[in-house]
């Protein structure tokens, strides 16, 4: 007999049909009503047990968390809260769940408690909704780029180069911790390591993606990236997923257009395809907001926020304009910022980004043309000689969601920059080759996938939008 999912049955009107389904018990009331969930939707299906004709030994094993198989008839429900239910004719316990020990009880658990039980938290409504939306967003990413003629490119995960030049990398090594091979000068002899050199987990697939864009035209990566920065914030992970499109012949304006269209498109996909989950998450957020002081509550609910982003233009502002705004704004003058903005050249912190987005412009903002010395080596130098064609997309509640740029395509300018930063040119010989052979204007950006999931689901902490978060002092599971 065909095995149905709860999602299929809830949208079915084939009443009186005999059906079979499997799932996990969420609650069991009055020895009669099972709320069954199988992950296919946030909704449970009500299964009504004929307890008088059911073995008592089975009834007492129908507890929260147990896996069961149900056979029964699909009928219209007379009860409140659902339109259909299953009249159970046969029930089988597939896997018991000890109610005394099972941590996920039908009550509200704190997100911190659930993080410690990340292997079980997916059994809650909140986490199943978040992870279904995450999955839908991932599909929307591939759909968007495929439909626009991009090729999916897999950058290497183990690499010898530091794309961002920030030195925040995790080393990959098979050397014996307790017995490092040494050079004559006493230093560790990395030539004896597995790859014959120092290697790390990638911080970004960009440099390799550039080489592919220079042949395939339009490519994008979507893979894990790793950063060993000691940031314990609600927006940083040590292991996160990044989407990095790279397009030959695109300049910075094209790049901004692409980032805006892309973000709107994938969020719009979830608005159309994740209605139940988003409705649940919106309600969850409303409850959470109630416990906040009035001045910290958001003036838009989740769906309004998502629709706002999809339907409005992102504001494009140069770094120089942004600095003028920040220098003269109230929190700066009243010394409310932790980092005060005194002069042009200052690196923007998340408090400044969020001020611009949430208080000043009240919409997503794309900042561009940053000072060269606060950005990576590969960005194209402007005619002014001091700014580069960089862009950051800033979002409410999140801050930076995208970082990108037009790339420096001129070999001599790039080489000079590499020399200034004391980067070893020999390490980048293959990257420089793209500037020697058929170089051209090109641009790309990186979108932090978890920050996108965070924005779309309204979750406050990035650790709650990836199945098993990695952050300093934590690599459990
Ligand atoms: O701004 P970033 O460092 O840019 C790059 O890596 C470029 N190579 C991208 C490119 O041009 N192809 O990172 C890009 C984005 C950030 O805007 C942010 O959304 C996310 O990646 N990100 C993080 N997300 C979670 N945890 C972290 N530690 C992150 N660091 C960056
Ligand atoms: Mg950045």
């Amino acid at each position: 007999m065909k095995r149905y999912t709860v999602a299929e049955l809830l949208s079915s009107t084939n009443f009186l049909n005999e059906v079979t389904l499997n799932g996990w018990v969420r609650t069991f009331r009055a020895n009669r009503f099972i709320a069954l969930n199988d992950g296919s939707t946030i909704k449970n299906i009500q299964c009504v047990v004929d307890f008088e004709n059911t073995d008592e030994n089975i009834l007492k094993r129908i507890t929260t968390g147990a896996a069961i198989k149900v056979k029964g008839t699909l009928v219209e429900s007379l009860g409140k809260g659902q339109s259909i239910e299953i009249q159970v004719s046969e029930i089988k316990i597939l896997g018991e769940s000890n109610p005394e020990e099972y941590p996920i009880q039908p009550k509200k658990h704190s997100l911190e408690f659930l993080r410690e039980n990340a292997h079980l938290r997916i059994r809650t409504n909140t986490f199943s909704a978040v992870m279904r939306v995450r999955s839908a967003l991932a599909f929307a990413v591939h759909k968007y780029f495929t439909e626009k003629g991009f090729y999916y490119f897999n950058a290497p995960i183990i690499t010898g180069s530091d794309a961002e030049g920030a030195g925040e990398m995790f080393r990959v090594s098979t050397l014996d911790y307790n017995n490092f091979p040494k050079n004559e000068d006493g230093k560790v002899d990395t030539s004896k390591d597995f790859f014959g050199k120092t290697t790390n987990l990638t911080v970004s697939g960009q440099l390799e993606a550039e080489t592919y864009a220079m042949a395939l035209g339009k490519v994008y990566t979507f893979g894990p990236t790793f950063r060993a920065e000691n940031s314990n914030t609600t927006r940083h992970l040590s292991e996160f997923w990044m989407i990095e499109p790279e397009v030959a012949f695109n300049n910075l304006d094209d790049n901004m257009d692409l980032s805006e269209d892309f973000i709107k498109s994938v969020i719009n996909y979830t608005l159309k395809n994740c209605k139940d989950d988003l409705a649940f998450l919106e309600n969850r957020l409303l409850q959470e907001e109630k416990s906040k002081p009035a001045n910290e509550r958001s003036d838009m609910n989740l769906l309004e926020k998502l629709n706002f982003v999809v339907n409005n233009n992102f504001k494009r502002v140069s770094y120089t304009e942004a600095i003028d705004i920040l220098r003269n704004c109230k929190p700066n003058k009243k010394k409310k910022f932790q980092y005060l903005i005194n002069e042009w050249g200052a690196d923007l912190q998340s408090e400044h980004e969020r001020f611009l987005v949430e208080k000043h412009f009240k919409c997503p903002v794309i900042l561009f043309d940053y000072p060269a010395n606060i950005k990576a080596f590969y960005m194209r130098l402007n005619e002014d000689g001091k700014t580069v064609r960089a862009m950051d997309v800033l979002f409410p509640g999140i801050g930076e969601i995208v970082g990108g740029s037009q790339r420096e395509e001129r070999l001599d300018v790039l080489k000079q920059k590499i020399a200034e930063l004391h980067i070893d040119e020999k390490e980048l010989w293959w990257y420089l080759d793209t500037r020697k052979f058929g170089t051209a204007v090109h641009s790309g950006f990186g979108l932090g996938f978890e920050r996108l999931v965070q924005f779309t689901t309204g979750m406050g902490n990035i650790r709650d939008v990836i199945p098993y978060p990695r952050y300093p002092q934590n690599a459990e599971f």
Side-chain angles (χ1 to χ4, degrees):
M1 199 190 241
K2 173 175 158 56
R3 194 151 34 83
Y4 288 90
T5 64
V6 173
E8 283 169 333
L9 291 175
L10 288 178
S11 59
S12 163
T13 47
N14 270 335
F15 297 125
L16 302 179
N17 261 17
E18 172 97 324
V19 295
T20 310
L21 70 160
N22 295 343
W24 293 272
V25 176
R26 282 290 173 84
T27 57
F28 186 37
R29 275 191 302 121
N31 242 0
R32 198 166 152 75
F33 303 106
I34 302 174
L36 193 70
N37 190 283
D38 67 355
S40 59
T41 153
I42 186 124
K43 292 179 178 155
N44 303 325
I45 197 163
Q46 174 155 288
C47 302
V48 186
V49 181
D50 175 6
F51 63 95
E52 279 160 0
N53 294 308
T54 306
D55 187 342
E56 202 165 307
N57 188 36
I58 288 194
L59 286 177
K60 74 170 195 269
R61 292 192 294 154
I62 306 175
T63 61
T64 297
I68 62 171
K69 176 181 185 127
V70 168
K71 219 185 241 180
T73 317
L74 190 66
V75 295
E76 258 177 288
S77 175
L78 302 174
K80 270 213 321 239
Q82 70 269 329
S83 54
I84 67 146
E85 62 188 24
I86 308 282
Q87 287 289 346
V88 178
S89 57
E90 211 181 305
I91 192 161
K92 193 174 164 196
I93 310 288
L94 301 175
E96 292 178 15
S97 175
N98 183 341
E100 258 81 75
E101 286 178 31
Y102 187 51
I104 310 295
Q105 293 300 321
K107 62 160 198 176
K108 198 168 158 39
H109 294 290
S110 76
L111 293 172
E112 290 75 18
F113 170 81
L114 291 170
R115 223 171 279 145
E116 286 163 16
N117 289 281
H119 61 307
L120 297 174
R121 67 178 180 173
I122 187 60
R123 301 177 182 206
T124 64
N125 284 333
T126 298
F127 283 90
S128 67
V130 167
M131 295 307 163
R132 274 188 298 266
V133 172
R134 181 182 168 109
S135 174
L137 278 169
F139 175 72
V141 167
H142 287 298
K143 180 169 157 17
Y144 177 87
F145 285 121
T146 304
E147 286 174 2
K148 295 261 184 249
F150 283 67
Y151 296 105
Y152 179 36
F153 161 73
N154 301 113
I157 289 172
I158 300 173
T159 168
S161 58
D162 179 1
E164 294 305 299
E168 295 164 332
M169 296 184 297
F170 290 102
R171 179 155 306 157
V172 176
S173 169
T174 55
L175 291 180
D176 180 357
Y177 267 29
N178 299 310
N179 188 18
F180 285 120
K182 298 271 171 70
N183 281 329
E184 274 153 27
D185 55 5
K187 293 206 174 117
V188 175
D189 182 2
T190 50
S191 72
K192 297 269 166 30
D193 207 342
F194 191 89
F195 296 105
K197 61 189 265 189
T198 303
T199 50
N200 299 293
L201 294 177
T202 187
V203 295
S204 156
Q206 177 197 321
L207 303 190
E208 292 89 350
E210 281 186 54
T211 65
Y212 264 56
M214 297 314 284
L216 294 178
K218 297 193 267 188
V219 299
Y220 71 103
T221 72
F222 187 174
T225 47
F226 307 85
R227 300 214 178 162
E229 48 187 335
N230 198 5
S231 304
N232 277 292
T233 78
T234 55
R235 291 174 316 278
H236 286 88
L237 290 165
S238 313
E239 175 181 289
F240 63 100
W241 288 63
M242 206 182 342
I243 296 141
E244 297 183 270
E246 192 67 37
V247 185
F249 315 114
N250 261 11
N251 63 21
L252 192 70
D253 287 324
D254 303 324
N255 207 32
M256 291 195 235
D257 291 345
L258 177 66
S259 68
E260 183 169 342
D261 188 54
F262 165 59
I263 296 175
K264 286 177 172 173
S265 166
V266 294
I267 291 178
N268 200 28
Y269 180 87
T270 63
L271 282 170
K272 296 219 162 76
N273 293 281
C274 303
K275 290 202 168 84
D276 291 343
D277 288 322
L278 290 178
F280 173 84
L281 290 165
E282 167 164 291
N283 194 36
R284 181 197 157 271
L285 212 57
L286 282 173
Q287 303 304 322
E288 195 181 84
E289 294 251 308
K290 278 188 193 154
S291 64
K292 288 187 187 166
N295 63 342
E296 281 176 30
R297 286 184 207 155
S298 155
D299 39 354
M300 279 190 223
N301 65 32
L302 181 63
L303 291 175
E304 281 169 348
K305 230 164 58 179
L306 299 181
N307 277 302
F308 181 86
V309 165
V310 168
N311 296 322
N312 288 280
N313 290 336
F314 296 4
K315 178 85 187 161
R316 300 183 186 191
V317 186
S318 75
Y319 167 89
T320 303
E321 289 171 70
I323 284 291
D324 281 341
I325 294 167
L326 288 168
R327 218 180 347 208
N328 297 313
C329 74
K330 251 196 207 155
N332 200 54
K333 292 200 152 150
K334 294 194 163 167
K335 301 198 179 348
K336 288 271 159 61
F337 284 145
Q338 195 185 340
Y339 297 88
L340 295 179
I341 299 287
N342 296 317
E343 56 196 44
W344 193 93
D347 202 355
L348 300 186
Q349 306 295 325
S350 113
E351 57 180 344
H352 309 126
E353 298 174 341
R354 292 184 62 172
F355 173 82
L356 291 170
V357 173
E358 290 161 27
K359 298 281 180 323
H360 191 83
F361 291 110
K362 297 189 189 331
C363 71
V365 171
I366 309 184
L367 286 189
F368 61 91
D369 283 352
Y370 281 75
N373 58 2
I374 58 169
K375 288 291 182 186
F377 76 92
Y378 50 71
M379 298 186 181
R380 195 182 196 283
L381 191 63
N382 278 312
E383 302 313 314
D384 63 12
K386 55 178 195 169
T387 60
V388 285
R389 301 246 76 191
M391 59 175 245
D392 277 4
V393 181
L394 312 179
F395 257 46
I398 303 284
E400 179 190 336
I401 194 164
V402 159
S405 64
Q406 185 175 321
R407 317 306 189 189
E408 183 55 78
E409 85 285 11
R410 298 163 296 184
L411 182 64
D412 51 336
V413 183
L414 185 59
K415 272 185 153 176
Q416 196 186 329
K417 181 80 192 189
I418 287 174
E420 275 168 28
L421 293 176
H422 306 293
I423 301 171
D424 187 358
E425 201 185 293
K426 286 200 289 297
E427 293 284 319
L428 287 172
W429 65 274
W430 52 274
Y431 185 70
L432 293 171
D433 266 2
T434 56
R435 274 62 173 176
K436 279 189 206 155
F437 310 120
T439 192
V441 164
H442 62 289
S443 301
F445 61 82
L447 171 111
F449 186 55
E450 283 72 22
R451 292 190 185 175
L452 174 70
V453 180
Q454 230 190 317
F455 180 75
T456 310
T457 59
M459 296 299 282
N461 194 322
I462 197 165
R463 297 174 183 178
D464 296 331
V465 300
I466 185 165
Y468 294 104
R470 299 294 180 240
Y471 47 92
Q473 298 300 311
N474 187 290
E476 193 65 42
F477 308 101

